[in-house]
Amino acid sequence: MRGALAALAVVLTAAACTADPVDPRSPPVTTPPTSTAPTDPATSTGPPVAAPRFDADRALATVRDLATGIGPRLATRPAYGAAVALLWPRLVSSGYAVTRQSFAVPAGDSWGVPARAGRSSNVVAVPPDFDPDRPYAIVGAHLDTVAVAPGAEDNASGVAVVMELARTLDSDSDNDLPVVLVLFGGEEPRGPGDLHHFGSKHYVAQLSAQERRSLVAMVSLDRVGVGRTVPLYSVDGGPTEVRDQLERAGRRTGVPTTVGTNTGSDHESFADAGLPAARVGGTSYAAYHSADDRPDVVDRAQLARVGRLLTAWIAGLPRGR
Ligand SMILES: [Zn+2]
């Protein structure tokens, strides 16, 4: 069964790629440094280096790949597997060791549509030479959608920012805090109450005691392409440490933010386990959880703000070496 799904995923991925001028099998990581250095002299502090920078146009292209190329990605349906198959090689080509965690999702109601029980998966991208004895951070975004929504804003936007971070962070650096990137499955609800966030709950449950001790911060990017200010959330009644760090990064980079409390995304699973976590994103919009959640609701400038904010936050994290 899983082999059949994988085969279908490959077929769907191939179809998506045909319409896409950017072939994911040809990663843009080999761009010669000389092609970017002359256009950006302000950042040159020495010899030209091939440091890729967060590109909101690339992020928008990822939003289209997912929302238009694949469409609704219910966590337990083959389209979800197609999304995994699309993004997996891009994470690998960015230098990460990529693995998949499989978990069960119960039957239920996906925003008004009956959904059968099944399995979904998290995609976990770990920097090379990752050492759980040393401090690290997690940045995640849920890859699934409710049954009917193409999910451009919810949450191809968050996934697209994760993919840009994968491309632009120096995953092989000895100087930067390592960042584990996770695409979560099964975030969207299967009913009221606690029937949601299945992938992140599974992820937290499998963390070793050492991995928990070394985790300095987790951020969930969830709906980050709408609005002009960036919402930052801690959980109700929980510590605000990570949210405060993000707020300071916003001030440093001129990105306007608002702060509040919210439990509506995967950061909740980490906070419930006593781990430092926050959510970025969540501005209200009319197309929420509907068939109208298409790429035109996502604003390139807002993706750029969130990219700037996250890049600065990561750069400012304590290294703890
Ligand atoms: Zn969401």
Side-chain angles (χ1 to χ4, degrees), residues 113-148:
V113 177
R116 277 187 270 177
R119 297 195 72 79
S120 188
S121 59
N122 297 326
V123 177
V124 183
V126 174
D129 302 325
F130 175 70
D131 180 356
D133 289 339
R134 291 198 166 170
Y136 71 101
I138 295 173
V139 177
H142 74 84
L143 183 56
D144 65 310
T145 66
V146 296
V148 302

Side-chain angles (χ1 to χ4, degrees), residues 142 144 153-155 187-188 222-223 264-265 279 288-289:
H142 74 84
D144 65 310
E153 166 69 350
D154 189 9
N155 183 37
E187 189 272 348
E188 295 290 3
D222 196 345
R223 294 164 42 194
S265 189
R279 171 182 179 173
Y288 176 63
H289 283 187

